[in-house]
Amino acid sequence: QVELVQSGGGSVQAGGSLRLSCTASDYSYCMAWFRQAPGKEREGVAVISTDLVSAYGPSQKGQFTISRDNGKKSIYLQMTNLQPEDTAMYYCAAELRRSSGGTCWGDYRYWGQGTQVTVSA
């Protein structure tokens, strides 16, 4: 069982920046950020492996940067030039292994508590 604790988030105006953090209780090969806006399906924002190989979801436009500190069992999401459409609940996730396809875009068993990001126009 891996427990994830998130911090960061909040409310900003369009064009602003926020940084999310997530710390795991134990080692996880894959860690990721997802988000879910009201009335929409959850979408993958970014994933990163222990090897620091990262990838971003198809909706990402280069505003977000995922990073990882293996010593701290933590990942971060630096979000810049935030827009109202980025408003969502953001979740950290972790999985012990890569997916069968060899990437970190697989199913995740462990989830953080979520943190709200609200961007006003």
Side-chain angles (χ1 to χ4, degrees), residues 35-81:
R35 70 183 183 184
Q36 187 166 20
K40 294 188 177 181
E41 293 188 353
R42 185 176 64 199
E43 65 169 335
V45 175
V47 299
I48 189 165
S49 69
T50 299
D51 305 321
L52 304 184
V53 175
S54 62
Y56 295 87
S59 67
Q60 294 310 301
K61 305 171 185 174
Q63 305 158 254
F64 296 176
T65 303
I66 190 171
S67 60
R68 180 168 181 160
D69 184 332
N70 287 326
K72 295 182 179 180
K73 301 185 186 73
S74 296
I75 61 169
Y76 310 93
L77 187 68
Q78 181 67 47
M79 304 182 289
T80 62
N81 192 26

Side-chain angles (χ1 to χ4, degrees), residues 7 18 20 53 55 58 72 83 89 102:
S7 61
L18 286 172
L20 305 182
V53 175
K72 295 182 179 180
Q83 299 300 314
M89 186 71 80

